[in-house]
Amino acid sequence: MSERAAGVSATELIHSDLHDDQHGSPHTPIYNTTTWRFESTEALLDVVEGRTDGCLYTRYGTNPTITALEHTLARLESAEAALAFASGMAAISSTLLAHGRNGIVCVGELYGGTQEFLLTQCADLGIRVTLLMQADQARLAKHLNKPDMLVYCETPANPTLSILDIRALAEVAHQRGALLAVDNTFASPVNQRPLEWGADLVVHSATKYLGGHSDLTAGAVMGKKDFVRSIWRWRKNLGQVLSPETAALLARSLRTLPLRVRQHNHNAMLVAQAMSEHSAVSKVLYPGLPDFEGHELAARQMHGFGGMLSIEIKGGGAAATRVADQLKVFLLAPSLGGVESLVTQPCTTSHHALSPEERRKLGISDGLLRLSVGLEDAQDLIDDLRQALAVL
Ligand code: PLP
């Protein structure tokens, strides 16, 4: 599959920032201010009552540094509007609270924090939550039995990389009067743009690829103006906005997103191919490999196959732990999407709280290692994996 530039235009991205016209800065500076002064009460009321756009109070998100970032975030997903948040979970929780009051049906595997929020806080609030395994997605329509429900999913999923058909899910959701929200963190907008396949909202942990350097925590929601506006009220009153400093750092990172993601894709493909030929590896889960179950769907739906993959080590959990501990270039750390390669063993991190039986049902064996392939030289990454696998 060729990487189509259609996903995100690097030119547009680099020039989408709102320039500082006063001093000629090519980028919006950091407005480290919490409030804004007005010439008159009339001018203040024009902003408060929505007759004119203007800055009012940074917690509301009306701060030029944050607004400039949101302008770029909207462009990334070809969305009418975007909101920036202090974390991915802030973006996800406000989205679920704003649009899930009539019930939420999730399809496929979810990030552990999202699942915990759904099964504890949403349940405490009386929100009906249904989790459908990917294999049960044919039952989605049956579960959408009230108006204005929310369908929520992640694709590719963590850590199995399984792929869901966004267009098919959007069709079922819309037939039943529901909205579809997709967590696009794993793919990034360079590789996949769910709104173009019919999703109504996209959420991101910007802590991952959008930030890309493991040095900031942020989140984002993109979608139609009206849908985003109702999420804005939750962000404002829960106080989930990100700081202007973080907004500027994230905006800086976004300028290199297409470049970084293309290299992540390239390196991950080389690592996946090398691992699929290794005698100590029983399985490689990577959407770019032709024998991967979701490969054809991924090739249709995605512009690139991403930087995430999982490998199953022969010999089970203890063997996988030895390999993880032996890696030198891959750092043992539970995040993803940064310039540096990371490794985690899901049974010790993201899926530690589940029983072995629950993990087995999700297709997560104790011998599975999840790799976030970074931007080092691909040969160094392959050599590192080979030397670690040699301990077995
Ligand atoms: N969504 C996915 C797919 C994630 O992997 C994560 C974190 O790992 C999140 C959401 C939550 O993001 P954050 O840690 O920025 O709150």
Side-chain angles (χ1 to χ4, degrees), residues 1 163 269 272-273 285-292 294-295 298-299 302 304-306 308:
M1 182 181 67
I163 308 288
M269 181 62 104
Q273 284 166 344
L285 302 174
Y286 184 61
L289 293 178
D291 60 354
F292 181 73
H295 173 70
M302 301 176 77
F305 295 115
M308 299 299 300

Side-chain angles (χ1 to χ4, degrees), residues 17 32 37 94 108 112 131 167 197 209-210 267 275 277 281 291-292 308 319 354:
D17 202 342
N32 246 340
R37 69 183 163 79
S94 264
L131 305 183
R167 183 164 57 186
W197 294 108
Y209 287 103
L210 303 189
N267 282 2
M275 288 302 98
E277 285 157 14
V281 174
D291 60 354
F292 181 73
M308 299 299 300
L354 302 185

Side-chain angles (χ1 to χ4, degrees), residues 9 13 28 41 60 80 102 120 142 150 158 162 172 179 267 274 281 284 294 314 384:
S9 155
L13 193 56
T28 305
T41 301
Y60 296 3
E80 279 179 18
N102 291 336
T120 54
K142 193 173 119 268
L150 180 69
N158 176 29
S162 51
V172 177
L179 296 184
N267 282 2
V281 174
V284 179
K314 285 183 187 164
D384 191 35

Side-chain angles (χ1 to χ4, degrees), residues 154-176:
E154 293 174 17
T155 180
N158 176 29
T160 58
L161 284 302
S162 51
I163 308 288
L164 288 164
D165 187 335
I166 299 170
R167 183 164 57 186
L169 291 176
E171 274 172 19
V172 177
H174 296 160
Q175 277 160 13
R176 309 293 291 177

Side-chain angles (χ1 to χ4, degrees), residues 111-131:
Y111 166 63
T114 306
Q115 181 151 332
E116 184 184 328
F117 179 72
L118 286 161
L119 296 181
T120 54
Q121 282 78 50
C122 288
D124 285 349
L125 292 170
I127 297 172
R128 196 159 52 91
V129 174
T130 308
L131 305 183

Side-chain angles (χ1 to χ4, degrees), residues 87-89 92 111 154 183 185-186 205 207-208 218 336:
S87 70
M89 278 313 298
I92 291 166
Y111 166 63
E154 293 174 17
D183 183 332
T185 300
F186 260 49
S205 167
T207 314
K208 317 298 186 204
L336 63 114

